[in-house]
Amino acid sequence: MSAPLSATDGLDICADIVERARAAGADEAEAYFEAATNRVVDARGGSIESLTTAGTRGVGVRVLVNGALGFASGSDLDPAGRADLAEQAVWLARASAPDPSRVLPDPAPISAADLGIFDPAVPELSVQEIVSLLTRTEQAAFAADTRIDAPHIERFGQTVERIAVANSRGIALTTAATSCYISLSIIARQDGLAERGYAGVVARGPGGLVPEEIGRRAALRAVTPMGGAPLTTRRATVVFEPDIIADLLRGVSQALFGDAVVKGRSLFAARNGDEPWIGRRIGAATVTFVDDGTVSGAPATLPFDGEGVPSQRTPLIEQGVLRGFLHNVESGRQAGAGSTGNGTRSQFKFLPEVGGTNLILSPGTRSPEELIAGVDEGLYVVSSRNVGGINPVSGDYSVGASGRRISNGELAEPVSGVTLAAPMLQVLENLRECGSDLRWISGAGGYVGAPTVVVDDVTIGGR
């Protein structure tokens, strides 16, 4: 599995398409190139169940004609295909209405620091090495508890990619990155009951994967609620595992996307007569939440975003006070704030949208065990499922949950079939303490660095 294309290949293609778009009548033009090779291996008991490899290569072209936007994408990158893409984008712009917020960014200095985003070991991994990683993961789960019965899904995935972006204002940038992950879904059985536990980890290279930790965590999440019953409905302290609080933090971050705020699709949208949100206290002093696309080796780190704007660290909430929103170039112009380097693209086929990079809730100093020891009566949550959902517009948070009751600082009987419900801002206001166990968690909506947290006065709906 080789790294896709050299540094100059992607830039040369982008520069050529920008030039063709200008020649076709574009006032401004931008080309975003992406080439990626992905491999996914599923295994069980040391044997491969499936192995797939897929390549992606293409360009998205964004042009402006008299202030109107046109966008086209394609994977035919020979000279005729590039010319066709450029002409399509210009034709679409001429058929569109002008919008003054549609602009392209100017060049800005990009850090030359090594961000630790390319690990040459990834493209060199053999299938045998991958199966060994998965086998160690599975064996760790079986060793963690005798009730572990069988793996459901054990998967390794890797990506080697190169991206490049160039525009008619002078931006010409390229970089290469690698990533890999292990995920394990395991089944535990006891007295005719079955529970499933899941855990995963993502890293820039195999050295960041700890198979034994994944197996242990998947097993813990499978057996912890086994045989559980609902609690009586109450308000109590809840200790959230990092994976559980990460889902809520993604909902908070979506409410902090600048385009959602500008369009009134966020709980932080301006309301007539209300004091501005920026500078307002929205959480406890324990809550510091940032977006940082520059953290060395982190899963969403890149030197620049999908528009060629330098990545940066953006404080969102500092000690409970709202400090800022996330912007791409368009939403930054609409808000009069400028881009924060959050113009993300899920693929070359799409326009840049506002999105998070590495979203991080600052950790504390105490271990999860110490946090639990400090709770007189409460619930330790290790898994959740969507019930009412997490709504970044209304701010409502409602999920099904299972785990263990906490009594006098110790884990007690298993609990399942309860719901947790609270406004997101109330969760932030009641967040008593963050643990020291920050880890990266992937999921729909981006990467979150989250520790275990303790939240007081949460409504637990049960019997």
Side-chain angles (χ1 to χ4, degrees):
M1 184 175 175
S2 60
L5 296 182
S6 69
T8 56
D9 289 335
L11 271 181
D12 288 347
I13 291 170
C14 288
D16 181 57
I17 291 177
V18 167
E19 185 176 334
R20 290 175 185 273
R22 292 296 302 275
D27 298 323
E28 298 190 60
E30 170 198 85
Y32 177 86
F33 169 89
E34 177 186 11
T37 304
N38 303 286
R39 177 161 63 176
V40 176
V41 179
D42 285 358
R44 184 190 297 239
S47 300
I48 296 173
E49 292 201 325
S50 70
L51 190 161
T52 61
T53 300
T56 303
R57 182 171 178 264
V59 171
V61 185
R62 180 167 58 154
V63 305
L64 295 171
V65 179
N66 296 323
L69 174 71
F71 178 78
S73 66
S75 55
D76 181 0
L77 301 183
D78 64 18
R82 299 178 196 178
D84 184 54
L85 271 181
E87 290 166 5
Q88 281 187 53
V90 171
W91 182 85
L92 289 167
R94 286 176 172 151
S96 303
D99 182 341
S101 65
R102 306 285 197 182
V103 292
L104 299 183
D106 292 313
I110 302 292
S111 171
D114 180 4
L115 295 174
I117 59 174
F118 189 92
D119 186 337
V122 173
E124 301 302 324
L125 273 173
S126 69
V127 173
Q128 291 73 24
E129 289 172 317
I130 292 170
V131 172
S132 175
L133 288 169
L134 291 173
T135 301
R136 287 167 55 191
T137 308
E138 176 186 308
Q139 290 175 341
F142 280 108
D145 195 287
T146 57
R147 290 169 289 180
I148 298 302
D149 181 68
H152 177 231
I153 299 172
E154 52 185 84
R155 176 169 294 167
F156 174 92
Q158 68 184 89
T159 299
V160 182
E161 66 176 350
R162 173 164 294 284
I163 60 174
V165 59
N167 73 19
S168 52
R169 296 193 176 202
I171 284 178
L173 301 166
T174 185
T175 192
T178 58
S179 63
C180 54
Y181 68 87
I182 290 177
S183 63
L184 175 66
S185 176
I186 200 91
I187 298 171
R189 297 185 191 277
Q190 182 182 26
D191 300 330
L193 300 173
E195 293 281 353
R196 192 168 61 186
Y198 168 85
V201 64
V202 61
R204 289 296 189 177
L209 306 176
V210 184
E212 289 75 15
E213 174 64 15
I214 301 307
R216 188 192 66 79
R217 280 202 282 118
L220 178 70
R221 297 178 79 179
V223 302
T224 296
M226 179 155 273
L231 296 170
T232 56
T233 296
R234 66 188 69 184
R235 296 180 74 85
T237 297
V238 174
V239 178
F240 292 82
E241 250 218 331
D243 293 68
I244 312 304
I245 200 66
D247 289 337
L248 182 140
L249 293 172
R250 286 193 190 91
V252 172
S253 72
Q254 289 168 16
L256 294 169
F257 288 178
D259 57 342
V261 173
V262 168
K263 295 173 182 176
R265 298 170 184 166
S266 161
L267 69 97
F268 298 117
R271 306 281 190 268
N272 288 337
D274 289 354
E275 67 174 296
W277 280 101
I278 299 293
R280 194 190 302 187
R281 178 166 293 282
I282 63 167
T286 50
V287 179
T288 292
F289 188 46
V290 304
D291 178 272
D292 193 342
T294 69
V295 180
S296 180
T301 294
L302 286 173
F304 52 87
D305 71 359
E307 300 181 284
V309 176
S311 298
Q312 66 176 55
R313 182 183 188 275
T314 303
L316 299 172
I317 305 170
E318 286 184 325
Q319 296 183 336
V321 177
L322 183 60
R323 295 300 187 194
F325 300 116
L326 300 178
H327 291 290
N328 62 2
V329 172
E330 181 177 330
S331 74
R333 184 180 178 92
Q334 291 170 332
S339 173
T340 53
N342 289 94
T344 61
R345 303 196 196 221
S346 56
Q347 212 180 45
F348 69 88
K349 298 176 182 177
F350 304 104
L351 282 163
E353 297 181 333
V354 180
T357 60
N358 303 302
L359 295 157
I360 305 166
L361 178 66
S362 293
T365 59
R366 299 205 297 168
S367 69
E369 292 76 15
E370 290 174 306
L371 297 185
I372 291 170
V375 176
D376 292 332
E377 184 66 30
L379 177 65
Y380 175 51
V381 177
V382 299
S383 64
S384 65
R385 66 183 188 285
N386 202 340
V387 177
I390 303 170
N391 190 322
V393 180
S394 66
D396 292 335
Y397 173 69
S398 176
V399 298
S402 57
R404 297 279 288 273
R405 187 170 76 88
I406 302 171
S407 177
N408 297 319
E410 295 184 353
L411 295 180
E413 71 270 19
V415 174
S416 63
V418 299
T419 59
L420 306 178
M424 285 195 288
L425 294 186
Q426 186 179 83
V427 174
L428 297 182
E429 290 166 2
N430 294 343
L431 200 154
R432 182 202 304 180
E433 186 172 356
C434 296
S436 59
D437 57 331
L438 184 143
R439 63 173 181 255
W440 293 112
I441 298 154
S442 60
Y447 295 101
V448 177
T452 297
V453 302
V454 182
V455 181
D456 293 321
D457 200 25
V458 178
T459 298
I460 303 172
R463 54 188 164 80

